[in-house]
Amino acid sequence: MASTDLGEDRLVWMYTQMVRIREFEEHVKRTFFEHPGAMRGHTHLADGAEASIVGTLATRNAEDLAMPSYRCHAQPLVLGTSPRKMMAELYGRKDGLCKGFGGSMHLADPEHHFPGTSAIVGQSIAHAAGAALTAQVKKTGQIVYCFFGDGSAKQGAFFETLNLAAIWKLPVVFVLENNEYQAYTHISLEDANAMAGDPLSKKAAAFSIPGATVDGTDPLKVYDEVRKAAARARAGDGPSLIESKFYRFSAHGNAITVPPVPTQFPEHEAVGVYGNRDEYRKARERDPNKLFRASLLAQGVFSEADAKGIEDNARAEMDDAVQFALASPLPSPEEAANYVYA
């Protein structure tokens, strides 16, 4: 764990958010076998990314924006979006965040500084630059946290956007989430689908902006690195590129591999797609939630009872979100053409 200026209350807040993210994603997984047919289409989960996301957003000011890729459940939870409304949106219900029309990959909650996402690979990169330009022109003092996967870093939008962001000194922190897999291809494979360059943060040098690679399983190390990038953006010195490295515990999309029995952290979800059992088990030993929990216990930040209370509360919160979603009505057929403008 890194050395930071965070107090005990803030450390507990960070662990609480990490647990809430994990519980939300676990409840989404279980939906596919506990409530068959209730949720349709892909849901892209972020279990394994909790430390990276929370460590990043722990550096934000209240008005700053977060713009993730379509793997987007965690960020709005941390920003204050209702898990009830989020779960209802994933279920396609009228009480959902976007009235059931968005689903998992098209969440938006501007009230909580979450402008929205789309299913296009790499979309958040260009969109974040646009939001940062708006903040710069209007002198709002906001910065934008842009999250995207390692696979997005080979898109043309990545290079074009970082070039413009550097030239215009836009107030944006680019967080490249290197979770080792681009859909189903491991980042180490040297073929047409893999990514050249290691570490990926060195791509920042092409645009004369800072680049750094950080252990994304440690929220405090992420915090220490990102706060430097955030300070640079707030000072008007432009963007930075942070590569956060961790392991994605779930399949690329939940609709692809559905666990046949309700087990927590089902090992075969990743194994069934990627086929490397030893790799998966080794990654589980670096589970960011378990590591951070053990560290805070060792430091005396909280007790075992305190930790269990946080975990029980998060589980109850997400149980409630599922029940709320199930009780929410579906949109009527007459509403199908609403919000369609082309």
Side-chain angles (χ1 to χ4, degrees):
M1 296 290 172
S3 174
T4 73
D5 57 356
L6 293 167
E8 290 189 356
D9 288 348
R10 194 61 168 166
L11 293 173
V12 171
W13 176 87
M14 291 174 76
Y15 181 68
T16 300
Q17 300 311 311
M18 290 169 63
V19 172
R20 292 178 72 240
I21 293 170
R22 180 67 61 86
E23 281 296 332
F24 187 91
E25 303 292 50
E26 284 296 312
H27 279 69
V28 171
K29 289 182 190 181
R30 292 200 291 271
T31 286
F32 284 89
F33 51 80
E34 290 181 352
H35 307 289
M39 191 181 298
R40 298 175 178 86
H42 286 287
T43 57
H44 298 83
L45 306 181
D47 45 343
E50 294 90 351
S52 179
I53 292 166
V54 173
T56 294
L57 294 179
T59 70
R60 70 181 286 269
N61 290 342
E63 301 299 312
D64 293 335
L65 305 175
M67 300 189 71
S69 68
Y70 51 73
R71 200 175 298 280
C72 58
H73 306 155
Q75 288 84 355
L77 277 176
V78 178
L79 268 58
T81 297
S82 162
R84 281 183 158 198
K85 289 186 176 181
M86 286 180 57
M87 195 68 76
E89 186 61 37
L90 270 62
Y91 278 57
R93 305 303 177 100
K94 290 185 69 170
D95 293 320
L97 197 58
C98 303
K99 303 183 186 299
F101 287 90
S104 171
M105 291 191 282
H106 301 93
L107 299 179
D109 187 5
E111 180 182 347
H112 289 97
H113 309 289
F114 184 72
T117 64
S118 90
I120 300 172
V121 174
Q123 53 76 27
S124 63
I125 306 172
H127 291 179
L133 178 61
T134 299
Q136 184 186 71
V137 170
K138 291 187 173 182
K139 302 185 187 323
T140 64
Q142 295 167 297
I143 70 172
V144 182
Y145 295 89
C146 173
F147 300 81
F148 55 95
D150 46 279
S152 297
K154 62 185 178 183
Q155 299 284 338
F158 170 81
F159 298 96
E160 295 165 3
T161 301
L162 263 66
N163 182 60
L164 278 178
I167 292 171
W168 294 342
K169 296 187 181 299
L170 297 182
V172 57
V173 179
F174 294 105
V175 182
L176 193 168
E177 298 180 304
N178 184 349
N179 59 29
E180 298 194 23
Y181 278 90
Q182 301 161 47
Y184 319 109
T185 303
H186 194 272
I187 196 167
S188 64
L189 298 180
E190 296 179 359
D191 62 24
N193 292 317
M195 172 63 66
D198 184 32
L200 297 179
S201 61
K202 70 181 180 182
K203 296 179 184 296
F207 309 102
S208 302
I209 63 174
T213 297
V214 65
D215 177 2
T217 67
D218 186 333
L220 302 187
K221 288 181 179 177
V222 174
Y223 172 86
D224 282 346
E225 198 61 59
V226 172
R227 69 173 174 170
K228 290 184 287 187
R232 170 182 163 83
R234 295 188 208 286
D237 294 329
S240 303
L241 176 64
I242 309 296
E243 177 192 17
S244 181
K245 302 183 74 170
F246 53 87
Y247 191 89
R248 170 157 49 84
F249 292 144
S250 288
H252 172 62
N254 231 55
I256 296 171
T257 304
V258 179
V261 292
T263 56
Q264 191 176 29
F265 307 145
E267 183 177 75
H268 53 79
E269 282 196 81
V271 174
V273 175
Y274 308 128
N276 192 327
R277 189 176 300 275
D278 290 339
E279 172 190 281
Y280 184 79
R281 286 176 172 167
K282 184 177 180 181
R284 275 294 179 189
E285 294 173 2
R286 299 281 304 158
D287 184 324
N289 288 24
K290 291 182 179 179
L291 292 178
F292 195 44
R293 185 187 199 274
S295 175
L296 296 184
L297 285 172
Q299 296 175 57
V301 172
F302 55 33
S303 66
E304 180 70 38
D306 294 332
K308 188 176 185 302
I310 290 170
E311 293 146 14
D312 289 345
N313 288 340
R315 192 168 299 113
E317 180 185 24
M318 302 315 163
D319 284 344
D320 172 74
V322 169
Q323 293 307 311
F324 176 84
L326 289 170
S328 176
L330 291 164
S332 66
E334 293 75 23
E335 297 176 82
N338 289 359
Y339 316 110
V340 176
Y341 301 100

